[in-house]
């Protein structure tokens, strides 16, 4: 564009209109978008507000029902157990569509206002909510459910009745669903809106459509899913008729119900659509009008600007101005003219503005000072009437500035100078034009009385003519009232302090006595001369001089320094003993002004009671320690458990341990825990119980101990159980001694039985042996006289072999009965067992696997053949127990410590198999001679008897552990050589 080319103003006007129209269109589009978003958010907020209001209305319905029940719960008839009268009260307050039910804490109905009193009622179907109300001791709201006597749905409010800290009954108010629906209908909602109330089980409780048709029916799955996602939301959906709706839901924190409000989407979006159409029409109209008026204005703008330039030139009065050129010719002319006129106008305007600003600031300064001042600033005319009044307005004086103008001071405060002497003298000063200061008076105007102080000064003109007064008024009402309140409070404080039976003193920041009461004087009597102004240190020194403080004897200065330090810190309480035997509890507290307030209480009787109680507790602790019995007391009301010192010792608990019932139950052996809990439940029920034995883990070592507990319930005056008293005695050692006695008796019985059997077997064996000698000799003699291979030779040989087998059997019997003489030598047990296992591995079936763990052990004195016979019998029995099945025989040998009180070290041989195992009855007889579980002809029944006899002869022990189907393990403990020598020496000494 050529910069030297100029344009007419109308060209710029049309261009400006075009730009404005385009800008307006863009702004309109953006505004519509924003308006759409804002409209949607506003609709969402409005929907949420509406549905919240509906939920609140439903909650109010339920809360009113709960409030009625809580009021009924306080009825004296219910307290007096006069249920018939209480039933009549309930009948009087019920309304149509509702009824009241009273039940016990288990949910068993006592009466129902729908039926006659005394009619037997079944267990409530809502018994679970009754129990929940009892457990939580709070109001419970049900969902829609069918009552025990109703064939249609209802909802109920449950309120527990609490007496003496326990729930005795539960009151229930039931509503028909139509009552809830009526609450929705009362809200006068539009007919196209749909409202539904949904309980916690997603059942419809109420609706504003179709009465109770939908009551108790499930809500739609889509709505249930939305409720599960959020407690409050707004979303679009489609109703059953296929019409789009906007739905808002909110969940009540009181009842847990959800209120759903559905509005047709067309109604929600209708205002925005109408607004959109109107805005479009308005925008089109605006564009057309803009173009029309732009053309009109542009045509007139040229002539107007020309006229303005001439006017500006005339205003400028011909003063020279700089040349200003633009692309608009008319604007150039206007600029020249206005430039000339503007300089002149600016100069004059600046001068005027400066003067006006100074005046405005001066007035504002005076008004600000007057307003923030605590005094009233006033001015009177020569007639002594107010012409100006400004400042702090005292509302309770009802003296407003506008009402004061034109009145005299005595008219304003309604004090007649003729009758009020002070006002008469003040009027005389005013009429004499004398200045005055601090004229004080009390107003008699309407409202509370005001105490005012006034000061004023007369002012005159240049000729000395009196023009009036200027002055200030100060409101001293608060100061006067505060002084009066302080005087009353001080008198009240003195009376209250003197009425305190304890000693009370106040010291100032310099520790000087400011106040003391008669109680303080009574505590010290003539021992201490109290007087205002005495310092705390001087009081102590006077007391020390009279030997007043018993704890200070012999260390007066140290005691004084410590007491002064305690007083300066002013923290906590201390106990002080006087020389006359009295005890004082002294509490010092620092006040905000730096002083100290002290309270002295006589606790002599309390200290005596504490000493007696401590002495009694020490005697009880000594008696319980001697008896080995601990005691405790369980307070059922507070659930606190109180232990004696011996109880802490028995349980292995530190002194700081809190013996809560929950922590103690965890220390009881799990097998005894339920039995003990049931035992305590019987005690809580007031039942007398027998002593109980239980196993408890000590808290310090974790050792399991056996205790005997005895307890009895303690009743209050009403017969209710309030506490449980218990004693506990450790009987672990007694139980162990009894078990050891039973074990010894069993061992003695077994030993006597085996000894008798051995004696019998030994006698039989000797007789058999004497009988077999001639048989063997004659058989051998017969064999020597016949040829080998002959029939007679074979017969004699058969007799000889049978005699040898019989002789072997006799030898086993002699070994079992310990009648034979074994070989005595020092031998290596592990080598003997290894040799025997090598031979045995070849004789057992290949389906049996050996697992050995043979460790070197010290030598013992004995017969290697007997050790060989032990391993042979044990392994043979193990192989027989496994049979033809696949199995494992484990053999281990090691040095061990025998689990006996003496803890002897032994050589332990363990033979374990995976065979069929044994029952308890079989295990009791396995060591008996001739007892066998094998088939006839497979064994003699002497193998384990022989092993038992050998082990017993060595002073050892053999035990067996077996379960059917889980195999058997034999454990043989043989004493070491050194221990055998020690036992022999001891036996010799005893014999000698």
């Amino acid at each position: 564009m050529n910069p030297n080319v100029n344009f007419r103003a109308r060209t710029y006007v049309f261009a400006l209109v075009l730009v404005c129209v385009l800008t307006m269109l863009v702004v309109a589009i953006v505004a519509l978008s924003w308006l759409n978003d804002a409209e949607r958010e506003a609709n969402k907020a409005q929907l949420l507000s509406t549905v919240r209001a509906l939920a609140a209305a439903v909650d109010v319905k339920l809360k009113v029902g709960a409030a009625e029940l809580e009021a009924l719960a306080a009825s004296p008839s219910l307290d007096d157990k006069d249920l018939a009268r209480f039933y009549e009260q309930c009948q009087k307050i019920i309304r149509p569509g509702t009824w009241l039910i009273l039940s016990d804490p288990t949910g068993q109905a006592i009466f129902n206002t729908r039926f006659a009193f005394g009619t037997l009622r079944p267990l409530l179907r809502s018994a679970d909510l009754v129990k929940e109300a009892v457990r939580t001791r709070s109001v419970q709201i049900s969902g829609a459910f069918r009552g025990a006597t109703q064939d249609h749905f209802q909802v109920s409010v449950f309120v527990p009745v609490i007496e003496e800290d326990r729930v005795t009954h539960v009151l229930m108010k039931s509503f028909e669903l139509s009552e809830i629906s009526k609450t929705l209908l009362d809200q006068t909602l539009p007919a196209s809106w749909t409202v539904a109330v949904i309980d916690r089980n997603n059942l419809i409780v109420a609706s504003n459509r179709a009465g109770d048709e939908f009551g108790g029916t499930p809500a739609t799955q889509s709505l249930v899913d939305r409720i599960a996602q959020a407690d409050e939301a707004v979303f679009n959906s489609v109703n059953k008729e296929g019409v789009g709706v906007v739905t808002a839901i909110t969940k009540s924190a009181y009842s847990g119900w959800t209120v759903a409000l559905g509005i047709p989407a067309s109604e929600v979006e209708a205002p925005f659509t109408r607004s959109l159409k109107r805005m479009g029409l308005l925008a089109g109209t605006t564009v057309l009008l803009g173009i029309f008026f732009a053309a009109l204005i542009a045509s007139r703008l040229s002539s107007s600007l020309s006229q303005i330039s001439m006017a500006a030139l005339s205003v400028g009065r011909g003063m020279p101005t700089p040349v200003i050129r633009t692309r608009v010719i008319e604007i150039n002319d206007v600029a020249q003219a206005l430039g000339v006129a503007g300089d002149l106008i600016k100069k004059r305007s600046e001068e005027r503005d400066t003067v006006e600003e100074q005046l405005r600031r001066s007035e504002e300064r005076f008004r600000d000072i007057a307003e923030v001042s605590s005094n009233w600033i006033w001015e009177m005319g020569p007639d002594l009437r107010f012409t100006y009044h400004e400042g702090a307005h005292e509302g309770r004086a009802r003296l407003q500035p506008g009402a004061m103008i034109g009145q005299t001071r005595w008219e304003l405060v309604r004090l007649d100078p003729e009758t009020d002497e002070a006002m008469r003298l003040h009027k005389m000063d005013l009429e004499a034009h004398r200045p005055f200061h601090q004229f004080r008076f009390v107003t008699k105007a309407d409202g509370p009385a005001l105490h005012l102080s006034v000061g004023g000064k007369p002012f005159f003109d240049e000729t000395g003519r009196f023009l009036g007064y200027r002055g200030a008024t100060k409101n001293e009402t608060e100061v006067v009232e505060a002084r009066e309140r302080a005087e009353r409070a001080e008198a009240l404080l003195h009376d209250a302090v003197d009425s305190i039976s304890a000693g009370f003193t106040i010291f100032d920041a310099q520790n000087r006595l400011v106040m003391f009461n008669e109680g303080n004087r009574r505590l010290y009597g003539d021992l201490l001369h109290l007087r205002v102004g005495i310092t705390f240190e001087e009081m102590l020194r006077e007391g020390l001089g009279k030997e007043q403080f018993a704890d200070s004897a012999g260390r007066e200065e140290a005691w004084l320094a410590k007491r002064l330090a305690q007083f300066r810190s002013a923290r906590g309480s201390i106990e002080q003993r006087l020389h006359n035997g009295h005890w004082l509890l002294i509490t010092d507290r620092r006040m905000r002004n730096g002083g100290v307030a002290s309270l002295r209480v006589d606790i002599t009787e309390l200290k005596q009671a504490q000493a007696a109680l401590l002495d009694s507790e020490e005697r009880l602790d000594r008696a319980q320690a001697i008896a080995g019995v601990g005691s405790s007391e369980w307070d059922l009301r507070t659930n606190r458990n109180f232990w004696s010192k011996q109880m802490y010792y028995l349980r292995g608990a530190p002194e700081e341990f809190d013996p809560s019932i929950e922590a103690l139950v965890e220390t009881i052996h799990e097998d005894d825990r339920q039995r003990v809990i049931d035992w305590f439940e019987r005690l809580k029920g007031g039942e007398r119980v027998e002593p109980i034995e239980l196993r408890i883990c000590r808290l310090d070592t974790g050792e399991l101990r056996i205790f005997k507990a005895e307890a009895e319930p303690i009743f209050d005056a009403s017969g209710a159980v309030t506490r449980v008293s218990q004693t506990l005695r450790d009987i672990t050692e007694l139980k162990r001694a009894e078990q050891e006695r039973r074990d010894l008796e069993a061992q003695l019985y077994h030993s006597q039985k085996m000894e008798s059997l051995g004696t019998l077997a030994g006698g039989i064996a000797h007789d058999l042996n004497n009988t077999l000698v001639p048989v063997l000799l004659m058989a051998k003699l017969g064999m020597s006289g016949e040829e080998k291979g002959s029939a007679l030779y074979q017969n004699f040989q058969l007799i000889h072999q049978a005699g040898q087998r019989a002789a072997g059997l006799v030898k086993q019997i002699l070994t079992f009965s310990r009648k034979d003489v074994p070989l005595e030598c020092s031998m290596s047990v592990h080598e003997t067992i290894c040799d025997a296992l090598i031979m045995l591995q070849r004789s057992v079936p290949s389906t049996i696997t050996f697992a050995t763990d043979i460790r070197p052990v010290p030598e013992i004195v004995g017969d290697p053949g007997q050790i060989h016979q032990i391993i042979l019998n044990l392994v043979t029995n193990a192989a027989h127990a496994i049979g033809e099945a696949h199995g494992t025989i484990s053999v281990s040998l090691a040095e061990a410590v025998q689990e006996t009180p003496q803890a002897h070290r032994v050589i332990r041989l363990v033979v374990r198999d995976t065979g069929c195992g044994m029952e308890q009855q079989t295990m009791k007889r396995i060591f008996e001679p001739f007892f066998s579980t094998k088939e006839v002809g497979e064994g003699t029944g002497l193998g384990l008897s022989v092993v038992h006899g050998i082990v017993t002869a060595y002073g050892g022990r053999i035990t067996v552990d077996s379960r059917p189907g889980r195999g058997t393990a034999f454990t043989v403990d043989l004493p070491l050589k050194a221990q055998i020598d020690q036992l022999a020496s001891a036996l010799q000494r005893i014999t000698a």
Side-chain angles (χ1 to χ4, degrees):
M1 182 180 292
N2 190 347
N4 297 322
V5 178
N6 295 329
F7 299 93
R8 303 294 295 179
R10 67 184 65 188
T11 304
Y12 283 95
V13 171
F14 276 106
L16 179 62
V17 171
L18 181 60
V19 172
C20 291
V21 169
L22 294 177
T23 305
M24 185 180 66
L25 290 176
V26 173
V27 172
I29 293 172
V30 175
L32 285 175
S33 177
W34 290 351
L35 180 61
N36 184 24
D37 295 339
E39 186 74 16
R40 292 182 183 278
E41 291 298 321
N43 289 338
K44 180 178 178 180
Q46 186 175 4
L47 285 175
L48 286 176
S49 177
T50 303
V51 79
R52 288 170 187 158
L54 292 173
V58 175
D59 286 350
V60 168
K61 180 72 173 178
L62 298 175
K63 289 179 180 179
V64 168
E68 291 176 352
L69 295 179
E70 289 173 347
L72 279 174
S75 172
S77 301
L78 191 57
D79 291 340
D80 298 337
K81 303 298 186 296
D82 190 354
L83 298 182
R85 184 179 177 185
F86 184 68
Y87 173 84
E88 295 176 358
Q89 293 177 351
C90 294
Q91 285 284 6
K92 293 178 181 178
I93 67 169
I94 59 174
R95 294 184 295 274
T98 63
W99 60 94
L100 298 179
I101 299 174
L102 178 69
S103 74
D104 63 15
T106 65
Q108 181 67 47
I110 298 175
F111 68 73
N112 187 328
T113 58
R114 291 176 66 93
F115 305 95
F117 180 78
T119 303
L120 294 178
R121 309 305 313 153
L123 182 67
L124 296 176
R125 292 186 181 177
S126 55
D128 292 339
L129 281 176
V130 172
K131 295 176 181 178
E132 183 66 15
V134 173
R135 186 185 67 82
T136 61
R137 298 192 177 187
S138 62
V139 177
Q140 298 295 320
I141 307 297
S142 76
F145 69 97
R146 294 185 187 273
T149 59
Q150 301 296 322
D151 55 357
H152 56 276
F153 284 91
Q154 64 187 56
V155 294
S156 299
V157 178
F158 300 81
V159 172
V161 179
I162 302 176
E163 296 180 9
E164 298 181 356
D165 200 30
R166 67 187 184 92
V167 178
T168 60
H169 299 87
V170 174
L171 272 171
M172 179 174 71
K173 183 173 185 179
S174 296
F175 303 85
E176 293 182 353
L177 298 188
S178 59
E179 287 294 307
I180 308 299
S181 300
K182 183 179 178 182
T183 301
L184 300 178
L185 294 174
D186 291 342
Q187 307 306 313
T188 61
L189 300 174
S192 59
W193 290 16
T194 302
V195 183
V197 180
I198 302 161
D199 66 12
R200 297 182 295 272
N201 298 321
N202 299 321
L203 298 179
I204 296 177
V205 175
S207 175
N208 67 336
R209 291 180 178 271
D212 294 337
E213 178 182 349
F214 299 101
T217 61
T220 61
Q221 187 58 43
S222 59
L223 183 58
V224 172
D225 295 339
R226 286 285 186 173
I227 294 174
Q229 293 173 3
D231 292 341
E232 195 172 72
V234 177
F235 54 91
N236 295 324
S237 60
V238 178
N239 61 15
K240 296 180 179 180
E241 292 78 17
V243 179
V245 294
V246 179
T247 303
I249 61 172
T250 185
K251 180 175 288 187
S252 168
Y254 179 73
S255 64
W257 295 355
T258 300
V259 179
L261 170 64
I263 303 176
S266 58
E267 290 186 21
V268 177
E269 298 174 358
F272 175 74
T273 304
R274 290 194 296 269
S275 299
L276 183 62
K277 292 179 180 179
R278 291 173 182 173
M279 288 188 66
L281 179 61
L282 180 62
T285 303
T286 303
V287 171
L288 294 176
L289 289 175
I291 295 174
F292 171 76
F293 284 112
L296 181 62
I297 293 171
S299 62
R300 295 187 178 183
L301 184 60
S302 298
S303 58
S304 299
L305 289 175
S306 299
Q307 294 175 7
I308 291 174
S309 16
M310 294 183 66
L313 288 172
S314 62
V315 173
R317 296 179 181 180
M319 296 179 64
T321 58
V323 178
I324 301 175
R325 292 188 178 275
T326 66
R327 295 181 180 180
V328 181
I329 297 174
E330 291 83 359
I331 296 300
N332 291 336
D333 296 339
V334 172
Q336 286 181 342
L338 292 179
V340 174
D343 291 340
L344 179 61
I345 294 172
K346 180 179 179 181
K347 181 178 179 181
R348 294 178 179 177
S349 177
E350 287 177 350
E351 293 175 353
R352 184 179 67 253
D353 291 345
T354 301
V355 174
E356 291 178 352
E357 179 66 17
Q358 291 176 351
L359 178 61
R360 183 182 63 80
R361 289 182 178 178
S362 176
E363 291 179 352
E364 288 182 351
R365 186 181 302 113
F366 176 76
R367 290 183 181 276
D368 291 343
I369 293 173
E371 288 181 358
V372 301
S373 173
S374 60
N375 298 332
W376 296 335
I377 300 173
W378 50 267
E379 187 174 295
M380 289 180 176
D383 58 353
L384 303 182
R385 297 184 179 275
F386 288 107
T387 59
Y388 174 81
H389 204 287
E390 190 66 52
H393 306 315
E394 178 57 54
R396 69 174 182 170
R398 300 179 182 175
L399 302 178
Q400 300 301 325
M404 298 178 182
I405 304 302
Q407 297 190 58
T408 63
R409 177 169 285 112
W410 46 89
E411 292 173 347
L412 183 64
V413 299
R414 298 182 185 179
L415 292 175
D416 189 358
E418 299 297 332
T419 58
D420 189 276
E421 181 64 18
M423 188 58 69
R424 186 182 68 81
L425 296 176
H426 176 61
K427 182 179 180 183
M428 292 176 60
D429 289 338
L430 293 177
E431 292 173 346
H433 305 160
R434 290 191 294 266
F436 59 92
H437 182 64
Q438 291 186 347
F439 167 57
R440 292 184 171 87
F441 61 96
V442 181
T443 67
K444 298 297 183 179
D446 295 339
L450 292 179
H451 297 266
L452 303 178
S453 175
V454 183
K457 179 181 179 181
F459 64 96
F460 307 88
D461 61 6
E462 293 83 353
T463 62
R465 184 170 61 89
F466 174 69
L467 298 180
Y469 270 91
R470 294 191 182 99
T473 302
K474 183 178 182 181
N475 187 356
E476 296 181 341
T477 305
E478 292 184 357
V479 176
V480 173
E481 291 179 350
R483 182 168 57 247
E484 292 174 353
R485 287 196 301 270
E487 291 173 354
R488 291 194 300 270
E490 184 175 0
L492 181 62
L493 175 63
H494 278 286
D495 293 341
V497 168
D498 283 336
S499 66
I500 299 175
S501 60
F504 181 76
T505 57
I506 296 179
F507 296 85
D508 61 14
Q510 287 73 39
N511 298 333
R512 294 186 179 276
L513 183 63
V514 176
M515 177 188 293
F516 61 93
N517 66 345
E518 288 299 321
N520 203 75
R521 193 188 302 276
R522 288 193 299 270
L523 289 176
Y524 292 100
D526 298 334
L527 300 177
L528 191 62
H529 177 55
L530 297 178
R531 56 194 180 277
V532 175
I534 187 174
T535 65
F536 182 71
E537 184 176 357
E538 290 172 348
M539 289 175 53
L540 294 181
R541 290 193 179 277
E542 286 186 8
L544 290 173
K546 297 180 180 180
E547 298 180 352
Q548 175 184 357
F549 310 112
D551 296 337
S552 65
R555 55 184 192 95
E556 285 79 5
E557 290 301 323
W559 182 91
L560 177 64
K562 180 179 179 180
R563 182 67 186 94
L564 288 175
Q566 292 171 341
F567 179 79
R568 295 187 188 101
S569 65
R571 296 177 181 174
S573 302
I574 64 170
E575 294 180 354
Q576 188 178 86
R577 184 164 60 94
L578 303 180
H579 83 287
N580 58 5
H582 283 253
W583 282 86
L584 301 180
L585 178 64
I586 302 176
T587 304
D588 299 326
R589 288 288 184 271
R590 183 73 62 185
M591 299 184 295
R592 285 180 291 182
N593 63 358
V596 176
S598 296
L599 185 68
R600 290 163 170 80
V601 181
D602 190 340
I603 59 171
T604 305
E605 294 182 358
L606 176 62
K607 295 295 288 185
Q608 293 173 351
Q610 287 179 345
L613 178 61
L614 181 61
D615 183 58
S616 176
E617 289 179 351
E618 288 178 351
R619 289 197 300 270
L620 176 62
D621 290 339
R622 285 195 299 270
Q624 289 190 353
I626 294 171
V629 177
S631 63
S632 66
E633 191 168 280
W634 180 16
D635 193 330
L636 300 180
R637 294 167 297 185
T638 62
N639 202 31
R640 295 293 303 277
N641 205 6
F642 302 94
W643 279 6
S644 68
K645 185 181 295 184
Q646 185 65 17
M647 180 67 81
Y648 280 93
Y649 171 76
L650 292 176
R651 301 297 290 269
E655 292 183 359
E656 64 274 8
F657 175 72
D658 181 16
S660 65
I661 298 301
E662 293 77 10
L664 296 176
V665 168
E666 294 299 324
T667 63
I668 300 174
H669 193 278
E670 58 182 7
D671 294 341
D672 299 340
R673 193 170 299 164
Q674 188 58 46
R675 183 165 54 89
V676 175
I677 292 175
D678 296 340
W679 189 68
F680 271 109
E681 289 298 328
R682 292 168 58 195
L683 285 167
K684 289 167 60 178
E687 183 179 347
R688 302 286 181 176
V689 296
E690 297 295 328
I692 189 174
E693 293 183 2
L694 65 155
R695 291 165 291 178
I696 299 176
C697 288
R698 284 180 61 92
L699 293 172
D700 51 357
T701 63
E703 180 187 2
L704 189 65
R705 307 287 294 180
I706 304 174
F707 292 89
K708 182 176 182 181
E710 299 183 50
E712 66 176 12
I714 300 176
F715 303 88
D716 60 8
S718 65
V721 179
T722 59
R723 292 171 295 166
V724 174
S725 182
Q726 176 193 5
T727 61
L728 199 67
R729 182 162 58 95
D730 190 339
I731 60 173
T732 306
E733 301 303 329
L734 178 61
K735 285 293 183 180
R736 288 178 180 174
E738 291 178 355
Q739 185 61 39
E740 289 179 0
R741 179 180 58 79
R742 287 193 294 269
D743 292 344
L744 289 173
E745 288 177 352
Q747 291 177 10
L748 177 61
Y749 172 74
H750 184 70
S751 298
Q752 290 175 346
K753 182 177 68 173
M754 297 303 291
E755 184 177 358
S756 299
L757 289 173
T759 303
L760 176 62
I764 295 173
H766 277 291
D767 292 340
L768 287 174
N769 195 32
N770 294 333
T771 305
L772 287 174
V773 170
V775 173
L776 289 173
L777 289 177
M778 294 303 293
K780 193 172 184 182
L781 181 60
M783 288 171 60
S784 62
E786 299 293 335
E787 293 183 2
K788 291 183 179 181
S790 63
L792 193 56
Y793 179 87
Q794 292 178 357
N795 291 334
F796 283 119
Q797 187 181 23
L798 181 60
I799 295 172
H800 187 270
Q801 290 175 353
Q804 285 184 332
R805 286 196 299 270
L809 179 60
V810 171
K811 186 177 181 181
Q812 287 184 345
I813 295 174
L814 290 175
T815 302
F816 163 72
S817 61
R818 292 174 288 179
K819 299 299 182 180
D820 59 338
V821 181
L823 177 63
E824 295 290 339
C825 64
S826 180
M827 63 174 175
S828 174
V829 178
H830 62 279
E831 292 179 355
T832 303
I833 292 177
C834 288
D835 293 340
L837 289 175
I838 293 174
M839 180 188 69
L840 288 170
Q841 286 177 354
R842 300 171 184 169
S843 60
V844 299
S846 59
T847 55
I848 297 177
T849 303
F850 275 90
T852 60
D853 182 16
I854 309 300
R855 302 180 184 181
V857 295
E859 294 182 347
I860 65 172
V861 176
D863 186 350
Q866 292 180 336
I867 302 300
H868 188 279
Q869 193 170 9
I870 291 174
I871 192 66
L872 175 63
N873 283 314
L874 293 180
V875 172
T876 301
N877 283 344
H880 182 270
I882 296 173
E884 298 180 357
H886 289 273
T888 302
I889 298 176
S890 302
V891 181
S892 64
L893 180 71
E895 188 176 354
V897 177
Q898 199 171 40
E899 297 177 357
T900 60
Q902 293 77 18
H904 291 153
R905 299 194 65 81
V906 296
I907 296 173
R908 178 163 294 171
L909 170 66
V910 180
V911 178
R912 189 185 309 273
D913 64 69
T914 59
C916 59
M918 294 181 290
E919 298 179 350
Q920 291 293 328
Q921 296 299 326
T922 303
M923 289 173 57
K924 292 179 180 180
R925 300 187 59 193
I926 57 174
F927 295 117
E928 294 180 6
F930 308 110
F931 176 79
S932 176
T933 59
K934 301 176 184 178
E935 297 294 336
V936 177
E938 294 184 1
T940 62
L942 291 173
L944 290 179
S945 300
V946 171
V947 172
H948 182 274
I950 294 172
V951 174
T952 305
Y954 277 85
R957 184 177 68 174
I958 180 170
T959 58
V960 61
D961 181 21
S962 180
R963 293 184 183 179
R966 296 189 180 182
T968 304
F970 284 93
T971 302
V972 177
D973 289 341
L974 299 176
L976 297 177
K977 178 181 178 182
Q979 293 177 171
I980 295 175
D981 294 341
Q982 293 175 1
L983 290 173
S985 300
L987 183 59
Q988 290 176 0
R989 289 196 299 271
I990 294 172
T991 305

